[in-house]
Amino acid sequence: MANKASDHINWHVTLLLILGGLFLIIVGNSFECEWHKIKIDQLMAEIGALILCVETLHWVFDMSLRKAMFKEIADTALENARIHDSGVVDCLLNSKQVSDPNHWKVSQELVIGIHYSSKFFDDFHEMLKERSASGKVTKVLVLRTNSQASEYLTKSASGHSDIESEVKKIKALAHECDPTGSKIVFSYHARVLRYTFIYTEHSIWIKFFTNSKLHASVPAFKIQAGSPLFKFFENDMRAMMEEVANG
């Protein structure tokens, strides 16, 4: 209500100034007067013309450009608010650049969901070793090599053809980090994943795949705990782990 009243007052002031500018132009052209070499009539007409131009432009801006600008700002703010409220706090265009070892090392819960890529175990070997030494359990969901999903991925030629050797490499790297086999715990799924993930109780990194056979850098999103998206992915992850546990 206050904004509407303010706009109403501003509109009246603008109108009065426009009329004042016209009045000065008319009056300035209706007489001739010079004082100390200053042409009063010409000065009055020019001041009126200046006021008229400025206030006309101001009126045009208020009536059209300002509304369009405010609408654009409002739409952008709404979009940003939706993204923020959804829980997305970071994005990398290349998922291979995802790196948060200091956080992963101290998190109480760390769950890795993959097909058969050993990149995480290669890149964060020392982190996993320190985590195991401190008594923290890391859960790994990896593809079961004798499953239909494994057979499909092999035939689709979307990745490595020898999935079994890749899984063995993961287990060998894990064994180096946890010789007892009690701190890095493996579960084997039989799903063609829509995404891979790195989960902690504070955040989750989601890495996507291409639909085509094209080998390209894929994006990754970091999602904060307590958000709707985090809840969605956490529920999906836990449902998958339950399915694996139940065979």
Side-chain angles (χ1 to χ4, degrees):
M1 184 68 73
N3 288 336
K4 288 184 178 179
S6 177
D7 289 343
H8 188 68
I9 293 171
N10 288 338
W11 184 83
H12 276 84
V13 170
T14 301
L15 180 60
L16 287 173
L17 286 171
I18 290 174
L19 293 175
L22 282 170
F23 175 77
L24 288 174
I25 292 173
I26 293 170
V27 172
N29 285 287
S30 65
F31 73 97
E32 291 184 5
C33 178
E34 185 173 336
W35 181 72
H36 291 288
K37 296 184 180 181
I38 298 174
K39 295 182 178 181
I40 303 299
D41 55 332
Q42 186 176 339
L43 178 63
M44 185 178 294
E46 288 177 353
I47 291 174
L50 176 63
I51 293 173
L52 177 63
C53 290
V54 170
E55 291 305 317
T56 300
L57 290 173
H58 184 207
W59 178 77
V60 170
F61 176 80
D62 277 351
M63 294 299 292
S64 57
L65 298 179
R66 187 175 68 167
K67 290 181 179 178
M69 183 180 70
F70 283 172
K71 183 179 183 302
E72 184 177 349
I73 292 172
D75 290 344
T76 302
L78 181 61
E79 291 171 4
N80 290 339
R82 280 200 297 263
I83 293 172
H84 179 269
D85 292 344
S86 70
V88 176
V89 293
D90 198 359
C91 173
L92 294 173
L93 296 181
N94 186 350
S95 63
K96 292 180 180 180
Q97 295 175 349
V98 172
S99 177
D100 201 0
N102 291 330
H103 169 62
W104 296 330
K105 182 171 61 177
V106 299
S107 296
Q108 292 302 313
E109 189 173 13
L110 179 62
V111 184
I112 314 300
I114 55 175
H115 280 135
Y116 51 82
S117 171
S118 62
K119 178 173 173 54
F120 184 87
F121 297 86
D122 280 320
D123 291 350
F124 305 107
H125 192 267
E126 290 302 316
M127 181 275 294
L128 289 170
K129 186 181 293 185
E130 291 180 37
R131 184 177 171 83
S132 298
S134 66
K136 291 184 172 61
V137 174
T138 301
K139 298 177 182 178
V140 182
L141 284 165
V142 68
L143 182 65
R144 193 168 68 231
T145 56
N146 62 344
S147 63
Q148 290 183 341
S150 176
E151 183 180 354
Y152 169 79
L153 289 172
T154 300
K155 290 181 178 180
S156 69
S158 58
H160 293 284
S161 58
D162 193 350
I163 294 176
E164 186 172 359
S165 66
E166 291 299 312
V167 173
K168 285 181 178 178
K169 181 180 178 182
I170 292 172
K171 294 184 71 175
L173 289 168
H175 180 72
E176 292 176 7
C177 299
D178 173 35
T180 66
S182 61
K183 300 305 177 185
I184 300 180
V185 181
F186 282 86
S187 296
Y188 299 91
H189 65 83
R191 306 284 296 180
V192 177
L193 301 179
R194 274 68 169 179
Y195 58 87
T196 61
F197 59 86
I198 305 169
Y199 169 92
T200 72
E201 66 272 20
H202 302 293
S203 62
I204 182 170
W205 276 99
I206 299 295
K207 303 180 182 183
F208 296 99
F209 298 108
T210 58
N211 287 326
S212 67
K213 293 181 181 180
L214 178 67
H215 291 283
S217 296
V218 295
F221 295 91
K222 184 179 183 181
I223 301 165
Q224 197 72 22
S227 64
L229 274 179
F230 183 89
K231 185 177 180 180
F232 168 80
F233 286 113
E234 183 181 40
N235 288 343
D236 188 47
M237 177 197 75
R238 297 204 183 282
M240 180 182 175
M241 293 173 71
E242 187 176 345
E243 290 171 5
V244 170
N246 293 334

